[in-house]
Amino acid sequence: MDSAKLTEETFLRILDILKQGYLYQRSPKFFVIYAHENDKLGIKAHQKLVVDYISWFKELGFNINSDKSPYGYWPAHSSGREGQSIPGASTDVIQNQLCLLPQGWHHGTVDYVLVFQSELLTRYIQDERDCKIGERTYSEAIFDACNRYSQKSNPVRWDKVCQAVRDTQQTYSSAMGTQFHHVLTELALLGFRNSMGVKSAIPILLFDNDEEEPEWKSLLELVHMKEEEHRLFFKILPAIEKLEECFKKLKDFLENGNMKPEQYRTQREVEIFQVLQSLNAARDLWNMERPITRGTIRETLNLHCEIDRASIKRVSGTKLLTSLNDISLAVAERSSSKEKKYEERQIVPMHDLFNEIELEIGRKIRPKRVFIQGRPGVGKTTLCRRMMYDYCWDRNLREKFDLVVRVPMRKLEQFENLTDLLYNEYFQLTPRGDELAKYLNEIILKQSASNEESNVKLLLILDGLDEARQWSPEKLEKLMNRHLVLITSRSYGNDISSVNLHLEALGLNKESIEAYVGNTEIVSSHVGKAILRFIQNKVSIRDMLRVPILLDILCYSWDELQRQNVTSIATEDAKGHDLPTITSLYQAVIRTLWRKDIPRLGKADHGELVTAEIVNSVRDAARIERVVRAESNLIGEISIIMMESAQVELSEEVISETIQRLEMAGIELPLSLEQNIPKLSFIRLEHRSQRRQISFIHLTFQEFFAAQWLSEHPTQLKEYVQKYKYNHRFENVWRFVAGLFQINANDEGKQLNSFFNILEEEPRDLLGPAHQRLIMRCLNEVLPSKKTELSSPNMASNRYRSSSGAPTQMVARARPEWKNDFRVFYVDVSETNAAEHTGPRCGLA
């Protein structure tokens, strides 16, 4: 048995298990001080060993850095914007070292310091004592430079401290020549830090030097390198010290030589499992808790951003490419101004929102309060998540704000106060998370619009204001009244007070659409070319695809749309096929996802297991849907419940209660439903604390399934329309209902006509534009078709008449444009049996 090989294998196995345990979520911030090899002196620095230790800690995800790490704890795998490399120690060593200053001086300061004292580092310390300018050594000069600012009132002028340290270093490096080494700056800063009463050093002695102990005080006992290096790795941190005992025990098994390799590996798994159980039993894995400071909050938010960025997915469930272009933001037009084309609008880059901007009207502003409005799916939430990430991690942006906090407004209704939401969103897996959430809430509420002199420069991002209307206006106004705030919304009826900049999310421009479709990581080359041919000369389709989620749906569902004869006009000579509506796109992507999910769910049809090959060979999607009829019906039932109660997250209790209610009504459902629902591709499953949170991958999917349920229950449709006709939450639902009635029309359009008749009944909005907007949006989902001729008497008797005054057949040909806060659709009104329409057009001006 190769003992050395199995020892290394055992060590790597423990590292792998620790990595899977996500210990980094509870890791404080560490900095490593060590000397680099110096061939001229020929004295050991043990640099390779230290670098190995750093790589092992980083492999586990620990927040550990050194002078070779970029200041600010940039993720190792990240890259700079626009192809720039990440600047590290080679460009600004001292900037990386300044995090050794006392906690509370800056959000980037570390919690603990690992000091690897080698023979070479000891020599450097001795040489530094002999090099003085006047009567002061370099360490004493650094101490004095920092101490000048420790007596000042808070907050410490960070820029002044940094400059003082830089000046001192420059003076002494010139005087000391080859005897100056950057590690001396780290030791000097650590000495000053310790003098402030914070004992945070963990000393590791790399050589036999029993006569002379390190002169700086430490948090823990001295760790001596007489121990074997793998065992020492586990002894450094108390959190995993028990694994050192486990490793020693396993190594003893190897040295005894009484086990075969396979027996040893089995015993190894048992021993490691028992240790991990004892670690997980402890509520707090770390003896070294982080303090309640802005720095702790920022690092927690930074970690959240990094995880959140990786979780942004396409509708297919694959990771969204970070290289994709951002949506365009344009200055909103005033209602009195002449409407401009997309290309003529004034675009404001995402990263310039809080810089000085020159508006077209000739005045310059530096916005503090920005309001972004945009249609469903245009990418507002993804934009907010991207902004929070960039302002936390981008080297050119991260110093602009001390803290950036995104509040998902749709979740507000689940909590009594903002503190509970912040805890649930960011801190529930963090030690003392309740205290951190409370402290962050206090910081936010202090940032009133009139308080420009706050010590904390905090940007508050309120994502989806329209989804929080169940919260009281007083609470919302209090939250919106911050000094620096970014608000997004579909539409919002009330004025937003003191908004400096009102923007409109236009979506993707032509170049971005073409780049997306042309990306072979998203669609194959031949499919991309077919899609580009399809949208090339179709203005209405190109406008619709400015919405990123619709573009993604089109790409992912291309094959399904081909099966439905919706997009076959991509070929030059094909004619007579319907253009896709938003409803048909969503129906296509859901059918595509069903085809993906059915084999994974282990579905059977007539006693035969349904494989991927079987699913893909079936052209008629209706036959596919019967296999998942139970799941589809349950999702519809739950969706309409969620729409009524303004909920955006499913609970497992709601799923069980809905199943129980349906079965009490005589509907027998399969036992696998509770297990299958969280597995569906249009469902997002998150593990939070002791419970699972289930939601749709996008709100529009919830709205589609609610509409599908209503279209399948026409006897209840009238009741819902009367109750929620003008409710903002149901705007998309009614649009989908109209589209589904036409797509599934087998009754010459009777249900579709009935639906429009119901819309025309009381209650009616006679004064505002709500009713016209509702009708136009629904008509936009109804394409010319012989089987769905609209002959609504109520509609014909009102505004929808031909130039001769006769009742008309109404056909909605999508020509979407934007005006103010809602989408405008012009409707061609053509007389029955007329070959071509030459009369007037009806629409919202």
Side-chain angles (χ1 to χ4, degrees):
M1 182 168 61
D2 189 338
S3 177
K5 183 177 180 181
L6 283 175
T7 298
E8 182 68 19
E9 180 185 299
T10 297
F11 179 74
L12 295 177
R13 174 60 178 156
I14 293 176
L15 286 189
D16 183 58
I17 292 175
L18 284 172
K19 182 179 181 180
Q20 294 176 44
Y22 296 106
L23 288 182
Y24 69 89
Q25 290 185 343
R26 303 181 181 188
S27 166
K29 289 195 299 181
F30 293 90
F31 189 92
V32 177
I33 296 177
Y34 67 102
H36 299 273
E37 297 293 352
N38 189 330
D39 295 335
K40 293 181 179 180
L41 292 179
I43 302 175
K44 288 183 178 181
H46 306 281
Q47 180 180 348
K48 183 181 182 303
L49 175 66
V50 179
V51 171
D52 283 343
Y53 273 45
I54 293 173
S55 66
W56 292 338
F57 280 119
K58 283 186 173 293
E59 178 67 21
L60 293 179
F62 277 77
N63 198 342
I64 190 164
N65 295 271
S66 68
D67 64 336
K68 292 296 184 184
S69 302
Y71 177 70
Y73 307 95
W74 203 308
H77 58 272
S78 297
S79 59
R81 290 183 57 79
E82 301 177 358
Q84 298 173 3
S85 61
I86 300 174
S90 59
T91 59
D92 195 351
V93 173
I94 194 169
Q95 182 73 1
N96 301 335
Q97 297 170 326
L98 288 169
C99 61
L100 288 165
L101 285 166
Q103 291 172 326
W105 281 33
H106 190 261
H107 58 72
T109 54
V110 297
D111 301 301
Y112 301 99
V113 184
L114 295 172
V115 185
F116 288 84
Q117 184 159 355
S118 60
E119 297 98 315
L120 184 59
L121 182 59
T122 303
R123 169 66 178 273
Y124 287 166
I125 294 172
Q126 292 169 349
D127 289 346
E128 186 260 350
R129 292 171 184 165
D130 299 330
C131 295
K132 297 181 180 181
I133 296 180
E135 295 297 323
R136 295 188 307 172
T137 64
Y138 178 52
S139 296
E140 293 168 341
I142 289 288
F143 184 98
D144 292 342
C146 296
N147 197 46
R148 287 201 302 270
Y149 296 96
S150 66
Q151 310 301 323
K152 306 291 182 181
S153 59
N154 287 329
V156 173
R157 289 295 303 274
W158 183 254
D159 54 338
K160 298 292 186 182
V161 177
C162 296
Q163 192 57 51
V165 173
R166 287 181 187 278
D167 293 343
T168 304
Q169 186 194 75
Q170 185 175 4
T171 300
Y172 275 79
S173 62
S174 298
M176 295 174 67
T178 58
Q179 289 185 310
F180 178 83
H181 304 282
H182 284 290
V183 69
L184 296 175
T185 304
E186 295 166 13
L187 292 174
L189 292 173
L190 177 60
F192 175 73
R193 177 191 179 99
N194 286 338
S195 72
M196 301 292 288
V198 181
K199 311 303 180 186
S200 56
I202 303 173
I204 301 145
L205 201 58
L206 299 178
F207 67 107
D208 275 331
N209 185 26
D210 295 330
E211 298 179 1
E212 184 176 357
E213 296 289 321
E215 57 188 43
W216 22 263
K217 301 293 184 181
S218 63
L219 172 76
L220 302 175
E221 294 181 2
L222 186 70
V223 180
H224 205 289
M225 198 58 207
K226 292 177 181 177
E227 313 240 18
E228 191 265 341
E229 64 182 65
H230 289 139
R231 286 183 56 194
L232 175 62
F233 176 75
F234 297 120
K235 289 192 71 173
I236 289 177
L237 300 176
I240 55 177
E241 190 174 1
K242 287 187 177 181
L243 286 169
E244 185 267 337
E245 300 171 9
C246 174
F247 185 80
K248 180 179 181 299
K249 187 175 182 179
L250 291 171
K251 192 173 181 182
D252 290 342
F253 287 151
L254 290 174
E255 291 173 352
N256 291 334
N258 297 326
M259 287 186 178
K260 294 180 179 180
E262 290 307 315
Q263 290 177 318
Y264 168 76
R265 290 187 177 99
T266 301
Q267 184 64 32
R268 179 183 69 193
E269 297 301 308
V270 172
E271 296 290 338
I272 293 174
F273 177 76
Q274 289 176 347
V275 172
L276 289 179
Q277 273 194 320
S278 65
L279 287 177
N280 290 332
R283 175 175 173 80
D284 183 12
L285 202 58
W286 289 97
N287 292 336
M288 302 172 292
E289 278 192 343
R290 298 207 60 191
I292 307 299
T293 64
R294 291 204 320 264
T296 304
I297 290 175
R298 172 148 181 162
E299 290 304 318
T300 304
L301 295 177
N302 284 2
L303 175 61
H304 173 86
C305 289
E306 180 68 8
I307 297 172
D308 181 66
R309 188 193 196 204
S311 70
I312 301 178
K313 302 287 188 6
R314 297 178 56 210
V315 292
S316 61
T318 58
K319 184 179 177 181
L320 184 69
L321 301 177
T322 56
S323 59
L324 297 178
N325 295 339
D326 297 317
I327 61 174
S328 297
L329 302 174
V331 176
E333 297 180 323
R334 292 177 293 178
S335 57
S336 59
S337 62
K338 182 180 179 181
E339 187 172 346
K340 296 180 180 179
K341 295 180 180 179
Y342 181 97
E343 295 76 11
E344 298 174 344
R345 303 286 295 274
Q346 182 183 357
I347 304 298
V348 180
M350 179 181 75
H351 295 130
D352 288 342
L353 293 183
F354 295 93
N355 296 333
E356 187 175 76
I357 300 172
E358 184 173 359
L359 299 177
E360 289 181 340
I361 56 178
R363 63 187 180 93
K364 293 182 179 180
I365 62 169
R366 185 177 294 275
K368 301 291 185 183
R369 301 165 54 76
V370 179
F371 180 67
I372 299 175
Q373 192 167 337
R375 63 185 117 168
V378 78
K380 299 183 295 295
T381 293
T382 301
L383 179 76
C384 291
R385 293 162 76 177
R386 170 72 179 274
M387 286 189 67
M388 184 173 175
Y389 177 87
D390 285 353
Y391 279 112
C392 285
W393 288 110
D394 190 292
R395 186 175 181 84
N396 298 319
L397 298 170
R398 63 180 182 228
E399 295 300 326
K400 191 173 185 66
F401 303 107
D402 296 325
L403 294 172
V404 182
V405 184
R406 171 181 162 264
V407 178
M409 300 296 281
R410 67 177 190 167
K411 295 184 179 182
L412 273 179
E413 296 163 13
Q414 305 171 31
F415 304 97
E416 293 184 2
N417 51 61
L418 182 60
T419 300
D420 292 344
L421 185 147
L422 294 172
Y423 173 78
N424 181 77
E425 194 71 10
Y426 298 113
F427 300 111
Q428 60 175 298
L429 296 178
T430 305
R432 302 174 71 183
D434 53 343
E435 298 176 62
L436 289 169
K438 183 178 179 180
Y439 182 42
L440 179 56
N441 180 65
E442 292 173 356
I443 293 175
I444 291 173
L445 296 182
K446 287 180 181 178
Q447 307 295 307
S448 65
S450 59
N451 182 14
E452 299 190 18
E453 302 300 325
S454 174
N455 292 335
V456 184
K457 199 170 185 181
L458 180 142
L459 172 62
L460 184 66
I461 301 176
L462 303 180
D463 180 15
L465 182 63
D466 58 300
E467 299 178 55
R469 290 188 177 178
Q470 300 303 310
W471 242 36
S472 68
E474 294 77 16
K475 286 185 177 180
L476 283 179
E477 186 63 31
K478 185 177 182 180
L479 198 55
M480 290 187 288
N481 189 31
R482 302 301 97 202
H483 176 52
L484 287 165
V485 64
L486 173 73
I487 303 171
T488 70
S489 179
R490 287 187 178 183
S491 60
Y492 196 72
N494 301 327
D495 291 332
I496 308 298
S497 60
S498 305
V499 169
N500 304 121
L501 184 61
H502 188 172
L503 299 174
E504 187 179 315
L506 300 181
L508 301 171
N509 58 30
K510 180 183 177 183
E511 292 73 23
S512 297
I513 293 174
E514 292 175 352
Y516 190 91
V517 175
N519 193 317
T520 54
E521 293 186 58
I522 296 173
V523 291
S524 63
S525 177
H526 75 277
V527 170
K529 291 177 181 177
I531 294 175
L532 288 175
R533 286 198 305 270
F534 169 59
I535 66 178
Q536 188 173 14
N537 298 316
K538 301 170 183 66
V539 176
S540 61
I541 296 300
R542 223 172 34 241
D543 285 343
M544 183 170 69
L545 296 182
R546 294 191 192 281
V547 178
I549 193 171
L550 298 181
L551 177 61
D552 190 37
I553 286 174
L554 178 71
C555 292
Y556 183 62
S557 310
W558 184 255
D559 291 342
E560 188 65 42
L561 289 166
Q562 295 283 52
R563 291 187 182 99
Q564 298 176 22
N565 288 330
V566 172
T567 60
S568 297
I569 52 175
T571 57
E572 294 180 2
D573 57 346
K575 296 181 180 180
H577 296 286
D578 290 343
L579 293 174
T581 62
I582 293 176
T583 306
S584 65
L585 284 179
Y586 273 85
Q587 185 184 62
V589 75
I590 286 170
R591 286 176 170 177
T592 303
L593 293 174
W594 282 134
R595 290 179 187 270
K596 172 186 172 184
D597 289 343
I598 286 172
R600 295 193 303 115
L601 297 176
K603 288 290 184 177
D605 184 51
H606 290 74
E608 183 179 359
L609 186 67
V610 182
T611 64
E613 291 76 14
I614 292 175
V615 167
N616 292 329
S617 67
V618 178
R619 187 173 184 84
D620 184 0
R623 297 180 62 215
I624 293 291
E625 289 178 334
R626 77 161 185 251
V627 180
V628 286
R629 179 56 57 191
E631 284 82 2
S632 181
N633 288 343
L634 180 61
I635 288 292
E637 291 274 352
I638 293 172
S639 296
I640 197 67
I641 293 173
M642 294 171 70
M643 292 302 302
E644 285 191 276
S645 58
Q647 294 296 311
V648 292
E649 290 190 343
L650 291 161
S651 68
E652 293 175 308
E653 290 77 18
V654 170
I655 295 175
S656 298
E657 290 170 3
T658 306
I659 291 174
Q660 184 179 16
R661 179 169 53 80
L662 291 174
E663 292 205 325
M664 289 179 64
I667 303 173
E668 188 174 302
L669 298 172
L671 296 177
S672 59
L673 268 184
E674 287 98 330
Q675 174 183 288
N676 287 349
I677 294 300
K679 294 180 180 179
L680 300 179
S681 293
F682 41 79
I683 294 294
R684 180 190 293 118
L685 177 64
E686 296 181 38
H687 293 272
R688 295 287 182 88
S689 190
Q690 301 300 316
R691 65 190 185 94
R692 299 195 301 178
Q693 292 181 324
I694 305 171
S695 60
F696 287 89
I697 58 175
H698 195 270
L699 181 59
T700 48
F701 282 85
Q702 179 180 319
E703 293 165 334
F704 180 89
F705 277 103
Q708 183 172 276
W709 185 89
L710 288 170
S711 69
E712 293 171 353
H713 295 78
T715 57
Q716 301 182 48
L717 179 59
K718 184 173 183 178
E719 175 186 345
Y720 277 91
V721 171
Q722 290 178 338
K723 190 173 182 180
Y724 300 108
K725 184 193 295 187
Y726 302 123
N727 189 301
H728 74 283
R729 296 197 311 274
F730 280 75
E731 288 176 355
N732 268 350
V733 174
W734 305 134
R735 158 184 255 159
F736 284 137
V737 168
L740 287 169
F741 273 142
Q742 189 198 38
I743 291 172
N744 302 323
N746 295 313
D747 56 358
E748 297 182 348
K750 291 181 180 179
Q751 286 188 324
L752 182 61
N753 277 288
S754 175
F755 173 61
F756 276 100
N757 281 335
I758 294 173
L759 291 179
E760 290 295 321
E761 294 176 1
E762 298 294 337
R764 286 281 300 275
D765 175 38
L766 299 177
L767 299 178
H771 189 72
Q772 293 95 324
R773 182 171 58 198
L774 170 64
I775 295 298
M776 297 306 165
R777 282 179 168 170
C778 291
L779 284 174
N780 199 56
E781 298 302 304
V782 182
L783 294 173
S785 174
K786 291 182 179 179
K787 65 180 181 178
T788 56
E789 293 182 357
L790 290 178
S791 56
S792 166
N794 287 337
M795 295 173 70
S797 64
N798 283 291
R799 298 173 295 283
Y800 307 99
R801 293 177 175 271
S802 68
S803 56
S804 62
T808 63
Q809 171 192 338
M810 282 161 296
V811 177
R813 296 173 184 164
R815 193 172 78 100
E817 297 178 5
W818 278 89
K819 185 72 173 177
N820 297 331
D821 65 339
F822 56 87
R823 198 177 185 186
V824 181
F825 299 98
Y826 288 90
V827 182
D828 284 345
V829 182
S830 51
E831 294 191 26
T832 308
N833 300 324
E836 292 185 5
H837 169 64
T838 57
R841 291 190 308 178
C842 171
L844 296 182

